[in-house]
Structures are given as structure tokens and as C-alpha cells.
């Protein structure tokens, strides 16, 4: 039996049992309860077969069975255990199998927690599994080569990083989990029963958002520490394909909160739940169809499965629209509270902003496809395009996050505090921007105190609970504008961005403290919002205000950058060697440190790979990114073989051979180079030498120069004895001298407060996890 037969057989059997399970769940849903046991048993067999197929592929990797094409293409004998593990998801075939295995496991969420929606939801869910099984019949991870190579092609060197062992599985957990709330909402539409789908779907919508967030954040951190370009997000279309479902799922969470509180947005949430799942499929198409191969460094090539991806996408879009259109008039409609001073409306505005942002990113991400319909030369949006609309959105988000913690679901009477809030906000704005223009370095303390006193006085005068609650944020708003003035930040958008984000941070901190310690389960949203405010401050500060210095460092020389004295000491191996390391040292505050960034040529990727070294500090990172190694011409000086003549300016040098005179001592020897020099028709002989002395301290080498030229103006020394071919290298200062063999072009980038990005994203994950814990508890109640 061939090596691929067990794997292909497992996939075929999994397909058969998935079909039996799907049909049995369908018959059960139609009222034939006798089929329920068969449905469950068939699904159990399907899951077991899928897990066995994944286990068999792992076995093929760890047994180095290179007769299997997928194993050959993504691994080799040199890979460590963890990178052999991650080779499983190094290509398309393996990721589809991993996705199917996760889907199979997550089906048990519906079976055990789906309630009255279980059977119809499992029909929909089995159809999703069917898609992946059909894909793997046409793109099998068990396909064989015609021969058995001794070694594999190896894993993409960029993927040989600890974070890439974690990042892909996490993001695929999010992709697979998106099918769970989708299947539940489709079941609700089929049954026409909308009484409990929200409670059943909410926790899994939260875990979808959590894992998509974690996957995007891990991917950004991997890019920052591995790729060497100094950033963590480039709005790459493939990056966006996972970013868009994340933000859409955040919009869904806000809509679900509103529906749970008041019953409003029922139809909107059904469509949003479907939209998240469809976006996952669409992102899969963008990433794996090859349509972005000219626009993304991450895109897979077309492997001939585009028709299945398009069919998958079209089927679920059509299914959603047909079922929604069928049941739309049976869905209860509860009007939304459009009172601006109600927390429900602020949540609605946040949902709208998140959704609109997702759609705009979706449009620009799809531009290569859309422009290709109207032009023979498709084009993609550049980073500036994304940043230009992301900045205003972030400001609006921050304003909503500032107000949201202090609102509740009971209506405020506008006359009680609207005018007061407007006066306070306007006063803070006038004070802040006035100080921004008038501030001098000597008046910073006075200006800060004045700003705080004016804002605090207005809060005291107006005495509204909301006004008093928002007072610290207003003070921070003014203080941030003062800080921007001191830092010579003159871009008004940047100033407003920092000030509003800081307000959001302070407001949500206040709210979090009010929940501690006993009510921590209901502070998940505030913690997420706090993380968002901190993150966007770090994003703008670390990108807009990063600075870069380039050093050209001949081997052995030093250069200065950001108070560091940096020296290049050579390479561990040749640049063609995988993961070749550069030896750098840098001095700071009298201490010497070592740095070993990587620079090497990858045959697999046919290009130069760079991995930076990052010096981490509390307030900034210094990012050492090697750009190029340049060989230095004539670095050995004048190299002459025996009997060879070379001209340098108007001098001719002929190497006659080596001489090793007797010293009568076993601890001392000399090597002399006999060289004939011709200049202006005159011939002279010189004998530069190297004396080698072996003593208690080890071997010592002494150069003995030979003088020549008019008035003995030149001194020749031996820079290298090339024993392999009996050649000599001479250094003649002022005429031709030996130098370093190469030089390093090194970029050092200072990225201020980038730690805020990682702190903020960690809080986002923690806050989303708390939301899941809370909603999961409500589901069990």
C-alpha cells in the first residue's frame, strides 16, 4: 500500500460519514427522531476520522516521508521539533485539514449547547465541513511525488519563528468558530424561532472576536520582530483578510448587547452574524485564489481550487439572503432608542463605526479585483490611503469611548446637562488650543495648573453627575494638548488624536475602578476600550514619530547612533548560509552589549532575508535592521602570486618568493617576502617581513616594514600570507593598503512608546475574554 493511501482513505471515509451525519440531522430536524442516534454516531465517526487524518499527516512529517509532496515542500531534515510541527500549516493543504479538524471539534458546541436549534444548525454546519472535504479531495495533503527524495525543500525561513508556531492555529480557531453562531442563526431562520438564538450564539460570537483579535495581534508582533522593516501592520491585503472579520465581529458584539438589553437590532444582528462568516470565506478566497499574488507578500498561489472557493462563497451568500428574505417579516421589530444621551444609542453608533470601517477596508482590500474588471492593469490601495481614513475613525471611536462609561440605559433629560457639557467641552478645547499657541517652556507649570483649575471650576459650578464624571478626561484633554505643544507636534489631527485617545483611557480607567473588586465580570467592555485607547496612542506615536539613522560600518569600525557606539565585527557564516548572523557590539553608558541580527540569502524565496535585533526600553525600542553587506574591493591590499607583476600608479611590483631566514631559536621565526620594485626605469628590491615569537603569553606577530620610493616615502608590510597558493598580500599606506573585507549598511530606528501597542492589545484580549466568560455564564444559567 502506498504512503498516501491511508490519508486519502481517511478523507474519503470522513466525507461519507459527514454526509450521513448531515442527512440524518436533516431528517431529525424534519421530525424523524429515530435518525438522531445515527446522526450523532456518524458525526462522531467523522470527527474521529478527521483527527486521524491530521495525526497521520503529523506522522508523515515527523517520519520525514518526503515521498509525500506536501511533506517534501514544507519540511526538511534540519527542522526542529516545533518547526516540524508548524510545517503542518505551512501550506494550503495542511491549513485546510487543520480548519476541518477544528470545525469537527466545534460542532460539538452546537450538539451540546444548540438547544432547539441543534439539528438544523448541524445541517448547515455539516455543509461547511463538506466544502473542506471536497477541497481536500482535489488538493490532497497526501499527494505523492514520483520519487522519494533524501531531503525536503524546507519550511519558508520567515515561518521558522516561535510566534508562527502559535499564530496560524489561533487565527484558524477564529475562522472555524465563526461558523458556530452562523449555523445557529441559520437554524433560527429555518425554524422561524428567534426566541433563544441570541443567548445560544452570543458566547461564540465573543470567542470568535477574541481569537480573531489574538491572531491579528500575534501576526503583527511576528512581523515586527521577524521581517525587519520596522513595522507591525502594513495594510497588506492578506493581513486585511483577517482584520476585516475581526472588526465586523466587534460590530456584531455591540449589536448583540443592544439586542439583549432592549430587543432592538434583531434583523441587523442576524445579517451581521452572517456577514462575519461570509467575510471569513471571502478572505479565504482573496488569500488562496492567487488574485493578490502581485499585491501581497503573503498571498498563496492559485492551486486550481478557485471554482470551489467562489462556489462556497456564493452558496452561503445566497443561503443567507434566501432564508432572511423568507423570514424577515416574522422577526420581531423593536425600535431602537435614538436618544443620544442613552447608552444604547452610543453602542449603536459604535457598531455603525466598526461596521463602516470594516466595509471601507474591505473595499480597498478588494480594489485589485474591482479595478481588474475595468482595467487591464489592476491596482491596490497604498498605506497612505488606509491611514488617511483610519485616523478620523480613531478620533470618533475615542470620543464615543470617553462618553460611553458614564451613560446608562435610562434616558437623560437633555436640558439637565447638554448645555453644561457643551460649555465644559468648548472651554477645555479653547483652553487647550489657546495654550498650544501661547505656551512657552517657562510657563508650563502655570499653564497646566490654569487648565486644571478652569476645568475643575466649571465642573463644580454645573454640578451634573455626568459632568463631574467626565471632568478628569477634560483635564487630560487639555494636558495632552500642552504636552503636544512642548513636543513641537503641530499637526492638528495628531493633537486631536492623542487628546481624545487619552480621554478614552481616563474615562474607562475610572469606570474599571468602580467595578473592582467584586464586579469584574461586567468590566470586559471597559477593559477592551481602555486597551483600544492605549493601543492607538502607541500606534500613532510609534509610527508617525519614529526616527531612523543609517550607519555604514566597515568591519571593525564604529559608528554613533542614538547615544550608542555600534561596531560591526563580521559574520558567523557566509551570507548564503541559512540564518547567517552578524556580529554587532554596541556600547551604552559604559557597558558593552552584543547583538546578532540575521542577514542571508534564501534560495527557497530567491531573495535576501533580514531578521532584526531589538533593544527594548521602557519608553522606546531601538530596532537594528541590517540592509546590506557590501564587499570591499582590494581589501587585502596588493595580492601577488610568485612571479606575478602588478602595477600601482607608476610603480611595478614583482613577487619573487618567500624567504625564511634562520634565527637559531625554536621560539622565533620570520617570513620574508622578496619583492622587486620598478619606478621610473629604476629597479630596487625590498624585503618586508613578519616575525613570529612564541612566548609564555602565546604567539605574537610583529610586522617589519620595508621602505622604498623617493626619500623612502613608502613602507610596505605583509598584510596576509596566502599559504594555499603561495601568494602574498602587501599593504602600502599612501599607495595601496589593506582594509576591511566588507562593510555593513545598518538601519537603526527609534520607535517611541511602542510598548503601548503591546500593552493595549493585551488589554483588548483580556477584556474580550471577560466578555466571553460573562456571556458563557449567562448561557449556562
Amino acid at each position: 500500500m502506498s504512503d498516501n493511501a491511508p490519508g486519502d482513505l481517511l478523507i474519503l471515509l470522513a466525507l461519507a460519514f459527514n454526509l450521513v451525519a448531515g442527512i440524518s440531522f436533516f431528517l431529525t430536524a424534519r421530525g424523524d427522531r429515530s435518525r438522531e442516534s445515527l446522526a450523532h454516531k456518524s458525526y462522531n465517526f467523522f470527527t474521529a476520522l478527521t483527527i486521524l487524518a491530521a495525526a497521520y499527516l503529523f506522522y508523515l512529517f515527523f517520519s520525514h516521508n518526503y515521498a509525500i509532496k506536501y511533506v517534501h515542500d514544507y519540511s526538511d531534515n534540519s527542522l526542529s521539533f516545533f518547526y516540524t510541527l508548524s510545517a503542518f500549516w505551512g501550506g494550503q493543504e495542511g491549513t485546510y485539514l487543520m480548519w476541518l479538524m477544528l470545525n469537527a471539534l466545534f460542532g460539538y458546541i452546537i450538539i451540546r449547547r444548540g438547544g432547539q436549534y441543534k439539528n438544523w444548525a448541524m445541517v448547515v454546519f455539516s455543509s461547511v465541513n463538506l466544502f473542506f472535504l471536497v477541497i481536500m479531495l482535489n488538493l490532497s495533503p497526501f499527494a505523492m511525488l514520483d520519487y522519494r527524495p533524501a531531503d525536503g525543500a524546507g519550511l519558508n525561513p520567515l515561518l521558522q519563528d516561535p510566534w508562527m508556531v502559535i499564530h496560524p492555529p489561533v487565527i484558524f480557531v477564529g475562522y472555524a468558530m465563526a461558523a458556530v453562531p452562523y449555523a445557529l442563526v441559520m437554524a433560527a431562520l429555518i425554524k422561524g424561532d428567534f426566541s433563544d438564538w441570541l443567548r445560544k450564539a452570543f458566547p461564540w460570537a465573543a470567542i470568535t472576536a477574541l481569537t480573531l483579535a489574538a491572531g491579528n495581534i500575534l501576526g503583527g508582533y511576528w512581523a515586527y520582530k521577524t521581517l525587519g522593516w520596522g513595522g507591525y501592520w502594513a495594510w497588506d491585503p492578506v493581513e486585511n483578510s483577517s482584520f476585516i472579520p475581526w472588526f465586523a465581529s466587534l460590530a456584531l458584539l455591540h449589536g448583540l448587547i443592544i439586542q439583549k438589553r432592549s430587543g432592538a437590532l434583531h434583523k441587523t444582528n442576524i445579517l451581521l452574524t452572517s456577514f462575519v462568516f461570509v467575510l471569513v470565506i471571502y478572505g479565504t478566497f482573496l488569500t488562496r485564489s492567487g488574485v493578490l499574488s502581485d499585491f501581497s507578500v503573503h498571498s498563496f498561489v492559485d492551486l486550481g481550487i478557485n471554482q470551489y472557493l467562489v462556489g462556497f462563497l456564493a452558496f452561503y451568500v445566497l443561503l443567507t439572503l434566501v432564508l432572511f428574505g423568507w423570514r424577515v417579516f416574522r422577526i420581531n421589530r423593536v425600535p431602537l432608542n435614538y436618544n443620544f444621551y442613552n447608552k444604547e444609542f452610543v453602542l449603536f453608533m459604535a457598531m455603525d463605526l466598526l461596521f463602516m470601517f470594516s466595509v471601507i477596508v474591505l473595499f480597498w482590500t478588494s480594489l485589485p479585483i474591482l479595478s481588474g474588471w475595468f482595467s487591464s492593469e489592476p491596482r491596490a490601495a497604498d498605506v497612505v490611503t488606509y491611514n488617511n481614513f483610519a485616523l478620523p475613525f480613531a478620533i470618533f471611536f475615542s470620543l464615543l469611548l470617553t462618553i460611553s462609561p458614564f451613560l446608562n440605559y435610562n434616558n437623560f433629560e437633555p436640558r439637565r446637562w447638554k448645555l453644561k457639557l457643551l460649555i465644559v467641552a468648548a472651554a477645555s478645547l479653547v483652553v487647550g488650543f489657546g495654550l498650544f499657541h501661547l505656551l512657552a517652556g517657562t510657563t508650563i507649570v502655570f499653564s497646566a495648573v490654569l487648565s486644571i483649575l478652569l476645568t475643575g471650576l466649571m465642573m463644580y459650578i454645573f454640578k451634573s453627575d455626568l459632568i463631574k464624571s467626565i471632568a478628569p478626561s477634560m483635564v487630560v484633554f487639555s494636558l495632552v494638548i500642552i504636552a503636544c505643544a512642548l513636543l513641537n507636534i503641530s499637526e492638528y489631527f495628531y493633537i486631536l488624536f492623542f487628546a481624545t485617545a487619552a480621554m478614552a483611557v481616563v474615562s474607562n480607567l475610572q469606570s474599571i475602578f468602580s467595578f473592582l473588586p467584586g464586579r469584574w465580570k461586567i468590566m470586559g467592555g471597559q477593559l477592551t476600550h481602555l486597551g483600544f485607547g492605549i493601543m492607538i496612542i502607541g500606534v500613532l506615536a510609534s509610527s508617525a514619530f519614529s526616527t531612523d539613522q543609517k550607519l555604514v560600518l566597515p568591519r571593525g569600525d564604529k559608528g554613533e547612533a542614538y547615544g550608542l557606539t555600534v561596531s560591526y565585527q563580521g559574520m558567523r557564516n557566509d551570507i548564503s548560509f541559512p540564518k547567517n548572523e552578524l556580529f554587532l557590539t554596541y556600547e551604552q553608558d559604559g557597558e558593552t552589549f552584543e547583538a546578532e541580527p540575521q542577514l542571508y540569502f534564501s534560495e527557497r524565496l530567491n531573495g535576501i532575508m533580514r531578521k532584526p535585533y531589538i533593544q527594548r526600553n521602557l519608553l522606546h525600542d531601538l530596532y537594528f535592521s541590517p540592509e546590506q553587506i557590501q564587499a570591499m574591493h582590494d581589501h587585502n591590499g596588493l595580492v601577488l602570486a610568485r612571479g606575478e607583476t602588478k602595477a600601482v600608479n607608476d610603480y611595478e611590483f614583482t613577487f619573487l618568493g618567500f624567504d625564511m631566514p634562520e634565527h637559531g631559536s625554536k621560539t622565533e621565526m620570520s617570513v620574508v617576502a622578496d619583492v622587486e620594485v620598478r619606478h621610473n626605469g629604476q629597479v630596487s628590491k625590498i624585503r618586508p617581513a613578519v616575525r613570529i615569537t612564541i612566548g609564555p603569553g602565546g604567539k605574537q606577530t610583529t610586522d617589519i616594514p620595508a621602505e622604498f620610493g623617493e626619500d623612502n616615502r613608502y613602507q610596505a608590510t605583509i598584510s596576509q600570507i596566502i599559504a594555499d597558493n603561495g601568494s602574498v598580500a602587501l599593504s602600502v599606506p599612501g599607495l595601496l593598503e589593506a582594509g576591511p573585507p566588507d562593510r555593513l549598511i545598518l538601519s537603526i530606528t527609534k520607535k517611541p512608546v511602542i510598548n503601548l501597542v503591546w500593552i493595549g492589545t493585551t488589554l483588548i484580549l483580556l477584556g474580550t475574554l471577560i466578555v466571553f466568560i460573562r456571556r458563557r455564564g449567562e448561557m449556562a444559567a
Side-chain angles (χ1 to χ4, degrees):
M1 184 170 63
S2 60
D3 292 334
N4 68 321
D8 287 337
L9 178 61
L10 288 168
I11 296 299
L12 279 170
L13 289 173
L15 173 64
F17 278 102
N18 181 70
L19 283 171
V20 173
I23 293 170
S24 300
F25 278 118
F26 174 78
L27 295 174
T28 304
R30 292 293 302 271
D32 186 356
R33 306 302 297 181
S34 65
R35 305 287 183 176
E36 187 169 14
S37 176
L38 176 61
H40 285 209
K41 290 177 181 178
S42 298
Y43 194 84
N44 291 341
F45 276 114
F46 155 70
T47 303
L49 289 164
T50 302
I51 294 172
L52 283 174
Y56 184 62
L57 185 57
F58 275 121
Y59 166 76
L60 293 173
F61 269 109
F62 283 102
S63 62
H64 303 296
N65 191 332
Y66 300 122
I68 302 298
K69 183 179 185 300
Y70 187 68
V71 176
H72 169 269
D73 289 349
Y74 293 96
S75 68
D76 60 32
N77 293 329
S78 68
L79 285 183
S80 66
F81 173 84
F82 284 108
Y83 295 148
T84 303
L85 185 76
S86 63
F88 183 103
W89 45 83
Q92 293 202 51
E93 297 92 327
T95 53
Y96 281 125
L97 180 54
M98 177 173 67
W99 197 339
L100 176 66
M101 182 177 67
L102 292 170
N103 258 23
L105 294 172
F106 294 161
Y108 289 100
I109 294 173
I110 299 174
I111 290 174
R112 296 180 181 180
R113 305 290 182 182
Q116 70 265 40
Y117 306 110
K118 178 188 75 174
N119 292 315
W120 280 116
M122 285 305 298
V123 173
V124 176
F125 203 78
S126 295
S127 71
V128 177
N129 295 334
L130 179 62
F131 161 75
F132 291 108
L133 289 161
V134 171
I135 284 283
M136 281 188 290
L137 288 180
N138 293 272
L139 190 65
S140 173
F142 304 105
M144 293 190 68
L145 296 171
D146 296 331
Y147 62 102
R148 185 184 292 269
D151 202 356
L155 184 65
N156 183 331
L158 296 177
L159 303 183
Q160 295 182 41
D161 182 87
W163 292 105
M164 289 308 287
V165 178
I166 306 169
H167 161 63
V170 171
I171 203 78
F172 278 99
V173 167
Y175 289 169
M177 187 61 73
V180 174
Y182 175 76
L184 289 168
V185 82
M186 289 298 101
L189 286 171
I190 294 170
K191 287 174 65 65
D193 178 0
F194 305 101
S195 60
D196 203 31
W197 80 267
L198 172 64
R199 188 173 68 91
K200 298 295 185 183
F202 202 153
W204 315 115
I207 205 70
T208 300
L210 172 64
T211 49
L212 288 175
N216 279 276
I217 291 164
L218 290 171
Y221 187 72
W222 163 78
Y224 177 67
K225 71 178 288 288
T226 301
L227 298 185
W229 58 277
Y232 40 83
W233 196 261
W235 294 112
D236 182 279
V238 172
E239 295 174 356
N240 295 347
S241 68
S242 57
F243 175 86
I244 299 167
W246 173 30
F247 262 57
S249 66
L250 293 177
L252 172 62
L253 289 184
H254 287 76
L256 294 176
I257 293 171
I258 294 172
Q259 183 181 342
K260 187 177 185 302
R261 295 288 308 192
S262 67
L265 300 182
H266 204 149
K267 298 174 185 177
T268 300
N269 288 330
I270 288 173
L271 290 177
L272 264 179
T273 304
S274 306
F275 185 58
V276 172
F277 176 69
V278 168
L279 283 175
V280 169
I281 306 171
Y282 181 67
T284 303
F285 167 73
L286 286 180
T287 306
R288 296 160 186 271
S289 64
V291 297
L292 298 178
S293 57
D294 294 331
F295 304 99
S296 171
V297 297
H298 306 291
S299 179
F300 289 100
V301 297
D302 178 15
L303 294 180
I305 58 170
N306 286 4
Q307 66 272 25
Y308 301 106
L309 293 170
V310 173
F312 187 36
L313 179 63
F315 174 78
Y316 287 105
V317 170
L318 186 63
L319 177 67
T320 301
L321 294 178
V322 168
L323 290 178
F324 183 78
W326 179 34
R327 297 296 193 185
V328 64
F329 296 110
R330 294 189 57 177
I331 303 172
N332 291 333
R333 183 182 183 277
V334 177
L336 180 73
N337 187 340
Y338 285 99
N339 188 323
F340 178 80
Y341 314 103
N342 186 289
K343 191 167 189 173
E344 181 175 306
F345 183 68
V346 173
L347 285 170
F348 174 70
M349 291 177 64
M351 182 193 76
D352 284 345
L353 281 175
L354 289 164
F355 177 76
M356 285 189 292
F357 190 75
S358 302
V359 171
I360 293 172
V361 176
L362 176 64
F363 171 78
W364 289 117
T365 301
S366 304
L367 188 61
I369 298 174
L370 300 175
S371 60
W373 292 346
F374 305 101
S375 171
S376 59
E377 297 183 2
R379 62 189 183 91
D382 57 17
V383 173
V384 174
T385 300
Y386 287 100
N387 289 342
N388 284 344
F389 74 79
L391 193 63
F393 266 94
I395 293 172
F396 283 122
F397 279 132
S398 298
L399 289 172
L400 288 177
L401 298 184
T402 301
I403 299 171
S404 175
F406 306 117
L407 297 177
N408 57 43
Y409 294 96
N410 300 316
N411 290 340
F412 280 98
E413 289 296 330
R415 65 177 183 272
R416 293 176 57 193
W417 61 274
K418 178 179 179 181
L419 180 62
K420 301 174 184 180
L421 180 59
L422 289 175
I423 293 174
V424 170
S428 292
L429 195 65
V430 169
V431 170
F433 276 93
L435 290 172
F436 171 70
H437 282 292
L438 300 175
L439 188 65
T442 55
T443 62
I444 177 61
V445 176
F446 171 76
S447 300
V449 171
L450 178 63
S451 176
I452 294 171
L453 288 177
L454 285 175
T455 309
L457 179 62
M458 288 181 289
M459 300 302 171
Y460 176 76
I461 292 172
F462 295 128
K463 292 184 179 178
S464 164
D465 289 339
L466 179 66
I467 300 297
K468 287 189 288 187
S469 297
I470 210 167
S473 297
M474 291 297 187
V475 172
V476 167
F477 183 92
S478 297
L479 291 178
V480 169
I481 292 176
I482 293 171
C484 289
L486 288 176
L487 295 170
N488 296 317
I489 299 173
S490 57
E491 290 283 342
Y492 284 106
F493 252 130
Y494 289 174
I495 297 168
L496 193 58
F497 182 100
F498 285 128
T500 52
M503 289 172 65
V505 169
V506 172
S507 291
N508 284 280
L509 268 177
Q510 287 178 259
S511 182
I512 287 169
F513 286 139
S514 70
F515 291 131
L516 294 176
R519 299 188 298 158
W520 64 270
K521 284 187 178 181
I522 61 175
M523 72 176 194
Q526 285 79 2
L527 191 60
T528 302
H529 298 161
L530 171 66
F532 177 80
I534 294 172
M535 179 192 72
I536 62 174
I537 292 173
V539 167
L540 182 61
S542 64
S543 54
F545 302 107
S546 66
T547 56
D548 177 80
Q549 293 186 21
K550 279 189 170 53
L551 297 179
V552 180
L553 298 173
R555 186 180 296 195
D557 281 7
K558 297 180 179 181
E560 299 284 337
Y562 299 112
L564 307 181
T565 301
V566 184
S567 174
Y568 166 54
Q569 303 296 333
M571 298 183 283
R572 183 179 298 277
N573 299 289
D574 186 76
I575 198 167
S576 61
F577 194 86
K579 299 186 179 181
N580 171 57
E581 294 177 331
L582 310 180
F583 295 132
L584 302 180
T585 61
Y586 62 93
E587 298 174 15
Q588 184 179 36
D589 299 329
E591 292 188 71
T592 301
F593 303 91
E594 295 182 351
E596 296 182 353
Q598 295 178 5
L599 185 70
Y600 58 96
F601 179 81
S602 169
E603 290 187 9
R604 180 183 177 91
L605 299 179
N606 193 31
I608 295 293
M609 300 291 105
R610 301 171 178 86
K611 185 173 183 179
Y613 168 82
I614 304 173
Q615 186 212 43
R616 304 186 187 280
N617 301 279
L618 180 62
L619 298 179
H620 67 266
D621 279 0
L622 288 178
Y623 196 87
F624 294 64
S625 181
E627 294 187 354
Q628 188 179 1
I629 293 289
Q630 296 178 337
M632 304 287 281
H633 298 294
D634 299 325
H635 67 273
N636 286 323
L638 180 62
V639 179
L640 295 167
R642 184 183 179 92
E644 183 180 11
T645 299
K646 285 185 179 179
V648 180
N649 294 340
D650 52 354
Y651 286 87
E652 287 186 356
F653 298 85
T654 302
F655 177 44
L656 304 178
F658 289 112
D659 182 23
M660 300 180 66
E662 294 285 342
H663 282 279
S665 171
K666 294 182 179 180
T667 61
E668 185 175 291
M669 64 174 291
S670 296
V671 179
V672 179
D674 285 326
V675 180
E676 185 177 84
V677 181
R678 295 176 180 271
H679 178 64
N680 294 336
Q682 296 187 4
V683 180
S684 61
K685 287 187 178 182
I686 59 174
R687 288 169 57 84
V690 175
R691 180 179 296 135
I692 302 169
T693 304
I694 301 174
K699 184 172 70 174
Q700 293 184 342
T701 303
T702 304
D703 290 327
I704 303 174
E707 298 177 335
F708 68 96
E710 296 177 3
D711 301 324
N712 290 328
R713 62 185 296 187
Y714 296 118
Q715 288 187 337
T717 58
I718 297 175
S719 59
Q720 186 179 4
I721 296 171
I722 307 171
D724 292 346
N725 56 14
S727 300
V728 68
L730 300 178
S731 178
V732 186
L735 187 64
L736 184 67
E737 53 189 302
D742 56 20
R743 64 181 182 180
L744 169 66
I745 311 299
L746 178 68
S747 171
I748 302 181
T749 305
K750 186 175 185 178
K751 307 193 78 65
V753 296
I754 193 169
N755 286 332
L756 293 183
V757 176
W758 316 125
I759 293 170
T761 51
T762 302
L763 292 176
I764 288 173
L765 295 179
L766 184 58
T768 313
L769 178 61
I770 292 174
V771 170
F772 167 72
I773 293 171
R774 177 185 177 185
R775 301 305 173 182
R776 178 68 182 81
E778 291 173 351
M779 178 182 174

